[in-house]
Amino acid sequence: MISQVLINGEASDGRIPVTDSSVLRGDGCFEVLKAYDGRPFGLDAHLDRLEASASRLEIDLPDRGDISSWITRTAESLGDCAVRVVVTRGSSVPGEDELPQVIVFGHEWAGDPGPVRLFPVEAPWHAAGVEWDLAGAKILSYAPNLAATRRARKEGFEDALLVTTDSRVLEGPTFSIAWVIEDVMETPTLDLGILDSITRRVVLEAARGLDIEVSEGSWALDRLAEAVEVMALSTIREVQSVSQIGEESFPRGPITARLASVFEALTRQRPKPGN
Ligand SMILES: Cc1ncc(COP(=O)(O)O)c(C=O)c1O
């Protein structure tokens, strides 16, 4: 089920003009949040990242409070749901106004997806640490990421693990990756130009809170052969066990299980009175 679609806060039939630059060229940015019991999780962090992405693209957003209320209204209408926020640049046709459109709608998400198997795919389009204007922005142009997922599926896996052309581990097409070696949780550093995932942030903080040592760095793919457990992290997946990468298999280990349950508890936590 999908919620009422809001465009710039107005109830809409969900259509946007074909002249919009986001349709023509993927020119825009987006966020995906999850709401639990009708309350969006990590709302401020998602709004911060949306503002940062829009600013990198030089798109003027409506007021933050307005966008926040559109998200909250959508979340309340569905309860447990994913809320998508898509910001388009507006028309790119001469003579028409370049008016950004902020599209907000919610939909249900499928329950626990179970462990995932990943196939390593080279990502030559990934900045992989080279600084550029849109580094870290969550831009709409995800066609290369989705092509990597399709490539992995053709190989009989559920999704891809993106690696640089010299085999450094980056992230999944729509998720971050972390693994455990000798009780240390390792994850690719943000310096590699991977998305500053909000789930990754929350899970790393939870790990530190549980006295699990965390190491952020740059590792070659063959490092994963030493891992005893591997996890995929994202708003949609939460903390998902990775059961296979290429030829290597991994069990769902105790650290993944602990972090998954801490994360779940955080998502269901009620705000303290007065907040
Ligand atoms: C490339 C990429 N990495 C990581 C993530 C996970 O980010 P978050 O935890 O904020 O959902 C996403 C989410 O869409 C993504 O697209």
Side-chain angles (χ1 to χ4, degrees), residues 49 138 142 145 171-176 195 197-199 233-235:
R49 193 169 63 186
K138 197 163 159 68
Y142 258 47
N145 298 40
E171 60 189 333
T174 57
F175 53 89
S176 304
L195 188 75
S197 146
I198 290 157
T199 316
L233 308 170
S234 82
T235 295

Side-chain angles (χ1 to χ4, degrees), residues 105-124:
F105 69 97
H107 58 83
E108 288 164 339
W109 79 77
D112 182 355
V116 63
R117 294 171 305 124
L118 305 178
F119 181 72
V121 175
E122 272 187 15

Side-chain angles (χ1 to χ4, degrees), residues 65-206:
D66 287 342
I67 301 178
S68 172
S69 75
W70 304 335
I71 294 170
T72 309
R73 218 195 309 163
T74 302
E76 281 167 358
S77 74
L78 285 186
D80 279 3
C81 64
V83 180
R84 293 189 176 263
V85 184
V86 178
V87 177
T88 78
R89 182 174 302 282
S91 178
S92 60
V93 170
E96 289 197 8
D97 280 343
E98 194 187 83
L99 261 188
Q101 316 242 15
V102 180
I103 304 162
V104 178
F105 69 97
H107 58 83
E108 288 164 339
W109 79 77
D112 182 355
V116 63
R117 294 171 305 124
L118 305 178
F119 181 72
V121 175
E122 272 187 15
W125 70 89
H126 203 291
V130 177
E131 190 48 41
W132 70 302
D133 287 352
L134 299 184
K138 197 163 159 68
I139 53 176
L140 280 179
S141 327
Y142 258 47
N145 298 40
L146 300 185
T149 298
R150 283 197 303 276
R151 169 79 206 289
R153 290 196 178 146
K154 278 191 196 123
E155 300 288 339
F157 291 72
E158 277 96 39
D159 215 326
L161 175 62
L162 304 181
V163 297
T164 62
T165 47
D166 61 351
S167 254
R168 306 249 119 210
V169 183
L170 292 167
E171 60 189 333
T174 57
F175 53 89
S176 304
I177 190 94
W179 57 88
V180 178
I181 298 179
E182 292 178 0
D183 294 330
V184 178
M185 186 172 170
E186 297 182 347
T187 189
T189 167
L190 297 181
D191 295 343
L192 286 166
I194 59 170
L195 188 75
D196 184 0
S197 146
I198 290 157
T199 316
R200 176 185 177 282
R201 273 189 231 165
V202 171
V203 169
L204 295 189
E205 196 184 317

